[in-house]
Structure formats: C-alpha cells, structure tokens
Amino acid sequence: MNTIGIICEYNPFHNGHAHQLHILAKQSPQSLRICIMSGAFVQRGEPALFSKFDRARWAVCNGADVVIELPALFSLGSAQYFATGAIRMVKALAIDTLSFGTETTNLAAFQKAARYIDSESTQTALRTYMQEGLSYSSALRKALMQYQNSSIDDIISSPNAVLGLEYIRAALTYHNDLHYLPILRTSDHHAPSVNQNLPSGTALRRAVTEGESITSYIPATISGDIRQQIQQGHYVDYTRYEDMLHTLSRRMTPEALSAFGDFSEGIEPLWSRAALQPTWKESIDTIKSKRYTYARLQRMGAYLALGITKSSLHESQKQGPQYARLLAFNDRGRQWLQQEYNIPIIQKWAKASALLSDFGRTMHHIDTIATDIQSLCFRNPSMRKGHTDYTYTPQYIR
C-alpha cells in the first residue's frame, strides 16, 4: 500500500495545510496520506492552540486518511530531535514517502546538504560556533555556509527548508529508502499578521487570541467547527500557561532545575533569579541570548511543566517512539489500520500500558500530563477537565 507521510502540527489547521493535502491527492490519488501530528504540545515549546482531537478531525475532513499523534518527548524537541523522532515513527509505520512544505523544492540540494551536516568539517565548525554562544540552528547555518553553494544557501536561509533538511538527515540514518515529495510553500512562515492568502500559523494564533475572525483563512469544510470551538472558549489562554511556568520556576531551586531537559551550562541560577521578575515574558527576556533563544527557553519551560527530565530525553533518543496513538481516520485509513507495524497502534488509552515497555509507559505518562496541562489552560473553565485522553475514542470520519 503506497503511503505518504506528513509530519505536521496544524496549529491551527488552515488553507495552506489543505492546499498541501489537495496537491498530494492530485499528484498521487492512490496513496494514503498519513499525518504524524504533534499532540497537546508543539515544537515552539508551548501547548497547541486547539486540542489534538479537534486538529486531527479537521485534518481528516480536508484530505488526510489517518492522523497519528507524535509523542511530546519528540514534538517538543529542537528541529533535529523533532525530525528524528518523527522519521523513526515514519519508518516504524512502514510509510514509504515523505511530503513537507518548503520554500525551495531542490531535492538534490537538500540531500547534498543533509550529507554535509554529519561530515567532520561541518561538525567541527558547528561545535566551534556553539562554543562561541550561537544557538544550534544559527551555528548549523553558519557551518554549512563554508560550502559556498548557492542552492544550499537557499535552504539554510529558509525556516521550513531547514526542518526538511533535518528530516532528510534523519532518514539517512533511520529510513534510507524513504522517498520525498516537497511542496512549495509561498507564505511567510512567521508573518505576524493575516494579510496573505495563505497566512502563517503565528498570525492565525494571534488573531484567535485577540478576537479577530480567521474564517477567510480556514477551509469551508471546517470553518463552522472552528468558529464553534472559538465561541465555546475551547482554545488555550496562554497567560494561564505562562503563569503556571512562572509559579513552577519560583518554587524550583537551581539544584532541582538541573534534572530537567536542556538545563545545562550553569543556567539554573540565572533561571531562578529571572523567575523573580513580575511576568514570565520578563523572565525569559532576562535570560535570552544568542545561545538561549526564545524557542529554546520555551522548550525548557515545557520540560519543567511536564516533568521531562534529561534521562527521559536521552532514553527517547535511544529508543525512539514506543507507540503510535491513533487520533482520527476515514474509510481509506481503516484499511491501513488493519495491518501490523513495528510499534503498536494505540486506540484505547486505558489499555495501552499492557502493550508497552517500561519506557513506553513513561512516554504514555508524559503524553497524558501534556494533554492535562493543555486542558487546564483552556479559556473556558468547563473545558479544563483532566484525563480526557482516557475518555477519547479515535474519530472515524465518513
């Protein structure tokens, strides 16, 4: 069975995502479209705006055949670890092709640049730039500039292209026979306003939280559904999440902080002092530097909120995904679900523990906490119930 994997967040689902799925359906109508989607928390280091259950439904209503949750241990990782976890799941589920949105579709340049990353000269330069205080992504871009290749320069200057590069790099190790279908992206990945035909997720999240309409940028098939979720307050109030992080940071000693993911290099005392600032934003403004970007600090905050330790992250990188949690599917997806794969496909959350290894149960526990924390941050108090993972049945969209 031909399958196309799409690694995604859909935070929130919009016309650009529908466009990609439409293009894939047109180019390869017989192939199943399997979305591996971040769950309650996303790679920018915070809860997704809408629940994973809603986002999965919206994806299937617009051309996806199956939506699988990417565990939080991977969805919260840097570009390298996010990509590696997702690609290992692609491999475990026997997906043969990967599609991703990018500002350049020069596949040969992608593959050449991916091979360059693990060369001795690139790794040496990368370590040097990071020792000088650059973040990983900035150091990687600078390290690859040594090759003076215009097509590679196009890749490293584009945010989505860099993530695509990390997918291919991970596949060279974990899924070497993977095929690729890059889809040209024409909108600005981080544009702050909704003044484009295909606006960014950043702009749409801001619009929702500020009470602006996003109907023009959402597929008609789900616009009513999204509007209802917004009217019911079934989306995250980020001030609640920030206050939670601020509270946790104030009660943690530097010694306690050192156990959590990405806390290193003596940043713990600085983090504790920064927590004395009046707001979470002022706290991270105090810490932010070339090495500690806002994205990295947000991820560190998420590790603190979810109790993700260095040892859990290390084990996740060693073992990879332990299960594939099914969120939504259609008739075509039902056929795919009848097959067996290298990791169990979880449909009933309460029954998952019996199928999992010890570390699989750790991963399961963290995903449960992630959903519970996101729920606690919803704007509507009636939506803040815990353990909704245990009451959820995968959505069958006819």
Side-chain angles (χ1 to χ4, degrees), residues 155-393:
I155 291 173
I156 61 180
S157 64
S158 306
N160 276 295
V162 169
L163 193 52
L165 179 61
E166 291 289 359
Y167 293 148
I168 295 174
R169 178 192 182 191
L172 290 173
T173 300
Y174 294 104
H175 197 348
N176 200 33
D177 56 350
L178 187 64
H179 300 285
Y180 304 98
L181 276 175
I183 303 294
L184 185 65
R185 184 187 179 107
T186 58
S187 61
D188 186 343
H189 182 62
H190 293 296
S193 58
V194 287
N195 57 2
Q196 307 174 67
N197 290 331
L198 299 177
S200 68
T202 300
L204 292 176
R205 288 189 296 274
R206 182 199 57 77
V208 170
T209 57
E210 294 183 4
E212 299 176 16
S213 173
I214 61 171
T215 302
S216 299
Y217 311 103
I218 301 299
T221 50
I222 59 172
S223 61
D225 191 348
I226 289 184
R227 187 163 55 247
Q228 182 180 33
Q229 300 306 317
I230 294 172
Q231 289 171 348
Q232 292 178 346
H234 198 190
Y235 63 94
V236 167
D237 176 352
Y238 286 101
T239 60
R240 287 181 58 80
Y241 177 66
E242 290 170 2
D243 286 345
M244 185 186 306
L245 292 183
H246 209 183
T247 302
L248 285 170
S249 296
R250 283 196 177 180
R251 67 178 294 271
M252 287 287 174
T253 64
E255 293 75 19
L257 287 170
S258 66
F260 295 98
D262 238 8
F263 281 85
S264 60
E265 302 161 334
I267 196 175
E268 297 88 353
L270 176 58
W271 187 284
S272 292
R273 290 195 299 273
L276 302 179
Q277 294 293 325
T279 67
W280 168 250
K281 185 179 186 309
E282 289 172 282
S283 294
I284 60 173
D285 282 345
T286 301
I287 309 171
K288 198 263 181 189
S289 64
K290 287 191 295 184
R291 181 181 291 255
Y292 287 95
T293 62
Y294 284 121
R296 182 175 178 184
L297 293 171
Q298 284 288 108
R299 285 196 294 271
M300 291 165 68
Y303 293 152
L304 178 59
L306 304 185
I308 295 177
T309 62
K310 289 184 176 73
S311 60
S312 293
L313 287 174
H314 175 76
E315 200 63 25
S316 70
Q317 293 155 22
K318 180 180 175 181
Q319 296 198 32
Q322 298 296 291
Y323 53 82
R325 200 270 175 90
L326 177 66
L327 295 175
F329 63 102
N330 61 14
D331 276 329
R332 280 163 43 100
R334 173 181 276 180
Q335 302 172 33
W336 181 82
L337 291 167
Q338 293 172 357
Q339 302 177 61
E340 292 188 4
Y341 299 98
N342 291 338
I343 53 177
I345 294 181
I346 304 301
Q347 300 195 36
K348 296 292 185 181
W349 201 239
K351 297 180 178 180
S353 293
L355 303 173
L356 302 177
S357 64
D358 287 345
F359 183 65
R361 285 188 283 274
T362 297
M363 190 172 285
H364 178 276
H365 175 66
I366 290 171
D367 283 343
T368 302
I369 292 174
T371 307
D372 285 354
I373 296 260
Q374 185 200 34
S375 298
L376 198 57
C377 296
F378 284 143
R379 183 169 291 272
N380 186 339
S382 70
M383 304 288 185
R384 295 174 189 163
K385 295 178 181 178
H387 273 31
T388 52
D389 276 312
Y390 288 92
T391 60
Y392 177 78
T393 300

Side-chain angles (χ1 to χ4, degrees), residues 43 79 103 110 113 116-117 121-123 125-127 129-130 134-149 151-166 169 189-190 290 293 295:
Q43 206 242 340
E103 291 84 352
F110 267 115
Y116 282 154
I117 292 177
S121 61
T122 301
Q123 287 297 307
L126 181 62
R127 287 191 295 271
Y129 294 136
M130 290 183 70
L134 292 182
S135 67
Y136 172 82
S137 58
S138 297
L140 178 60
R141 287 185 173 95
K142 195 169 182 180
L144 288 174
M145 287 174 65
Q146 67 180 300
Y147 296 102
Q148 298 181 341
N149 183 307
S151 58
I152 291 178
D153 289 345
D154 288 341
I155 291 173
I156 61 180
S157 64
S158 306
N160 276 295
V162 169
L163 193 52
L165 179 61
E166 291 289 359
R169 178 192 182 191
H189 182 62
H190 293 296
K290 287 191 295 184
T293 62

